[in-house]
Amino acid sequence: QVQLVESGGGSVQAGGSLRLSCTGSGNGYRPYCMAWFRQGAGKAREGVGGVDIDGVATVADSVKGRFTISQDNARKTLYLQMNSLKPEDTAMYYCAAVVGRGTCYIFPRSDGYNYWGQGTQVTVSS
């Protein structure tokens, strides 16, 4: 059974930084693509950034220039470096992956991911 576990969330002041990690495990864990999504209170889920099947990273316009997404060399752990955080970045951040059956659609489409983590909370105070 594949599991994704996010870590690195927390509370910071505006302008601060956090680095999120998404670690996968389980039999057959070889993700084709991975991504970060977030959902703030009362808001719809939105894509933050993803790494596609070719290893190309993309981030949403709303975080471009502040957030960087990357993977380890084995392409099994996903990172999200968040700098210059703003209160509007406050949300639960989720990691998603396509492992085995699933479809790597173009970011930020999310319905192809077949594994999701439980999320890590990021709170940015002004």
Side-chain angles (χ1 to χ4, degrees):
Q1 180 72 12
V2 170
Q3 286 189 321
L4 298 176
V5 178
E6 302 95 336
S7 62
S11 297
V12 296
Q13 290 191 324
S17 298
L18 286 172
R19 189 188 194 213
L20 306 185
S21 298
C22 173
T23 302
S25 63
N27 189 29
Y29 177 67
R30 287 179 292 276
Y32 292 113
C33 56
M34 301 182 74
W36 288 102
F37 293 85
R38 67 184 182 184
Q39 188 165 18
K43 298 181 180 180
R45 184 175 63 193
E46 65 170 332
V48 179
V51 179
D52 68 14
I53 198 168
D54 297 317
V56 178
T58 303
V59 294
D61 288 343
S62 60
V63 303
K64 197 167 290 183
R66 300 188 297 121
F67 292 11
T68 303
I69 192 167
S70 62
Q71 283 184 304
D72 66 340
N73 288 337
R75 296 194 60 192
K76 292 186 176 182
T77 299
L78 188 68
Y79 303 101
L80 183 66
Q81 178 66 44
M82 304 186 295
N83 299 327
S84 302
L85 282 161
K86 304 176 180 179
E88 51 262 45
D89 296 317
T90 295
M92 185 71 79
Y93 284 70
Y94 298 93
C95 173
V98 170
V99 180
R101 292 193 172 191
T103 303
C104 293
Y105 292 117
I106 294 175
F107 177 83
R109 184 172 174 179
S110 64
D111 57 313
Y113 294 97
N114 55 344
Y115 287 97
W116 292 78
Q118 293 298 306
T120 185
Q121 178 68 36
V122 172
T123 303
V124 185
S125 59
S126 58

